[in-house]
Amino acid sequence: MKIIEKKLNIDPAELKLLDKYLSTNSYAVFDIETTGLSPSFSSIVLAGFVLVKDGTASLIQYFAETPMQEKEVLEASIALLDDVSFVVTYNGRYFDMPFLKKRCQRHDLEIREPFDLDLYILMKYYSPIGKMLPSLSQKSVEEYAGISHLREDRIGGGDSVTMYDTYQSTRDKDLEEKILLHNSDDVAQLYRLMGLLKNCDLDKAFTKSGFPVDGGLITDISLKGQDLIIKGISHNPTEYIGFPSSDNPLLIYAHKGDGTFEITAPCETKEKSIYIDLLPFMDSHEDFEHIRNCSGFVNNYLILKEEGTLRHSEINVLSRFLAIKTLKEIK
């Protein structure tokens, strides 16, 4: 396996909008090159990263000079991903991350899946950009963002597959350089595209996609009837059932087998609004102060839906609080 590493002189995007949900001290932009589209029949031959630590960005690539080196690429990628708080991808939730997980399973490798901040999903569903562009390919978004001139690569993903196949028989250094350049430009440009996060409704996006919390990961948040339902995965799985009581009105299920948990918090409704009584939780956790600072916190109640409009920021802050509280109590 060949390892390529170098520093990138790219100004970091302003990420204060993410601070409410993610630790931005250490994260990675991630993209893979494969021998085909199916992880059942194809392998990963190149994993590219922009690794960001304390504001410094480095390009790192793990290149399998033959498909037999795939396991080395996977092991190196797992080690890097295990050391960051989240990854940034473009369509990674549908392609890169499932592909990586499947190939790790094929080689009997365990992987801790990091939270995936998928810019494709954010552009498509939570930004006006999704409705403005006829295509949401990464290169189209780069052109919209005015950074297309910074890309030296001129091939596509399909070209990369064909070139790698030819490379196996020729060991042509020019082909190798083109494959590496295609991947490095993809991750470098994706790093630059993070500046478009300012155009996204991140509160709404994180309600849908979830986010990391101390001790685990929230995977889904929803309001159903008069209940707030929080689903997630615990880093320390345990078998647990907690029924509502006067001291703790939450219904809690946790499963050791798959590490999943589900929290149901009862709410109250009035006309088109939904709110939750927080008296049972006050002063029970150091993070409660974040709830007090919400604009929807009124007289010990937190408004989650007002006049038919969801207050995503309040929903997320409350969900984080309840998830952390629960995971600490049941571990």
Side-chain angles (χ1 to χ4, degrees):
M1 177 183 73
K2 181 175 288 188
I3 302 175
I4 299 93
E5 184 170 358
K6 61 182 179 181
K7 284 191 176 182
L8 289 181
N9 295 317
I10 302 176
D11 292 332
E14 177 56 66
L15 299 181
K16 285 185 179 180
L17 291 170
L18 292 176
D19 287 346
K20 187 169 24 172
Y21 300 104
L22 301 169
S23 170
T24 57
N25 288 330
S26 176
Y27 64 93
V29 182
F30 176 52
D31 182 61
I32 60 174
E33 306 301 328
T34 70
T35 59
L37 296 177
S38 171
S40 297
F41 306 103
S42 307
S43 59
I44 294 175
V45 297
L46 175 57
F49 302 87
V50 171
L51 177 62
V52 183
K53 282 197 172 185
D54 300 320
T56 299
S58 300
L59 171 71
I60 300 175
Q61 292 174 291
Y62 303 124
F63 180 58
E65 294 175 280
T66 74
M68 297 298 292
Q69 295 178 346
E70 181 190 38
K71 188 174 182 179
E72 294 178 58
V73 171
L74 296 176
E75 289 172 333
S77 298
I78 289 171
L80 189 152
L81 292 172
D82 197 47
D83 197 38
V84 298
S85 58
F86 67 98
V87 295
V88 179
T89 67
Y90 202 82
N91 200 36
R93 289 201 173 201
Y94 297 118
F95 183 72
D96 301 76
M97 297 309 294
F99 203 112
L100 177 67
K101 184 177 180 180
K102 184 78 172 180
R103 296 310 298 172
C104 286
Q105 291 172 346
R106 190 69 173 264
H107 289 278
D108 295 319
L109 298 173
E110 292 187 8
I111 179 172
R112 177 190 69 83
E113 291 185 71
F115 179 79
D116 183 0
L117 186 69
D118 190 329
L119 292 196
Y120 171 78
I121 291 176
L122 289 171
M123 294 299 108
K124 185 172 183 178
Y125 298 110
Y126 304 103
S127 168
I129 295 172
K131 297 179 180 179
M132 294 168 56
L133 300 181
S135 167
L136 276 178
S137 69
Q138 183 176 325
K139 289 183 179 179
S140 295
V141 178
E142 290 171 17
E143 187 173 347
Y144 166 83
I147 62 171
S148 58
H149 65 286
L150 299 175
R151 178 184 283 272
E152 296 179 50
D153 156 61
R154 292 294 178 264
I155 69 171
D159 298 322
S160 179
V161 173
T162 303
M163 286 181 177
Y164 186 80
D165 185 55
T166 304
Y167 171 78
Q168 290 309 296
S169 58
T170 64
R171 286 295 184 269
D172 187 318
K173 288 296 182 182
D174 183 57
L175 288 177
E176 179 183 309
E177 289 177 5
K178 287 181 179 179
I179 295 168
L180 289 169
L181 178 62
H182 172 68
N183 177 259
S184 64
D185 269 7
D186 271 355
V187 290
Q189 289 289 78
L190 186 51
Y191 179 52
R192 293 183 176 101
L193 286 178
M194 291 181 70
L196 295 179
L197 288 172
K198 63 181 181 292
N199 299 313
C200 300
D201 187 341
L202 293 177
D203 288 326
K204 185 176 181 180
F206 281 112
T207 299
K208 182 64 178 178
S209 68
F211 45 87
V213 296
D214 293 342
L217 176 71
I218 293 175
T219 57
D220 183 72
I221 306 170
S222 60
L223 278 170
K224 294 184 178 179
Q226 291 187 224
D227 293 327
L228 173 67
I229 300 175
I230 307 159
K231 297 180 181 180
I233 299 173
S234 170
H235 293 332
N236 300 290
T238 186
E239 200 71 28
Y240 181 88
I241 299 178
F243 295 102
S245 66
S246 57
D247 294 330
N248 188 352
L250 303 178
L251 174 63
I252 302 168
Y253 292 101
H255 305 286
K256 189 171 184 178
D258 58 7
T260 59
F261 67 85
E262 181 173 318
I263 304 167
T264 301
C267 303
E268 302 176 35
T269 62
K270 184 176 181 181
E271 297 177 349
K272 295 182 179 180
S273 298
I274 298 177
Y275 50 94
I276 185 169
D277 183 358
L278 295 177
L279 276 175
F281 307 109
M282 292 185 70
D283 303 322
S284 62
H285 191 281
E286 59 187 11
D287 282 350
F288 192 82
E289 195 60 33
H290 294 300
I291 296 178
R292 290 183 186 274
N293 293 332
C294 290
S295 60
F297 183 76
V298 182
N299 297 328
N300 299 326
Y301 286 87
L302 186 67
I303 302 170
L304 305 180
K305 187 177 183 179
E306 189 172 21
E307 295 296 320
T309 300
L310 292 175
R311 299 177 67 105
H312 294 284
S313 180
E314 279 78 1
I315 290 171
N316 296 344
V317 170
L318 176 63
S319 297
R320 176 189 290 279
F321 167 79
L322 295 178
I324 293 174
K325 176 180 184 298
T326 297
L327 291 172
K328 282 189 173 183
E329 290 176 355
I330 69 175
K331 73 176 181 178

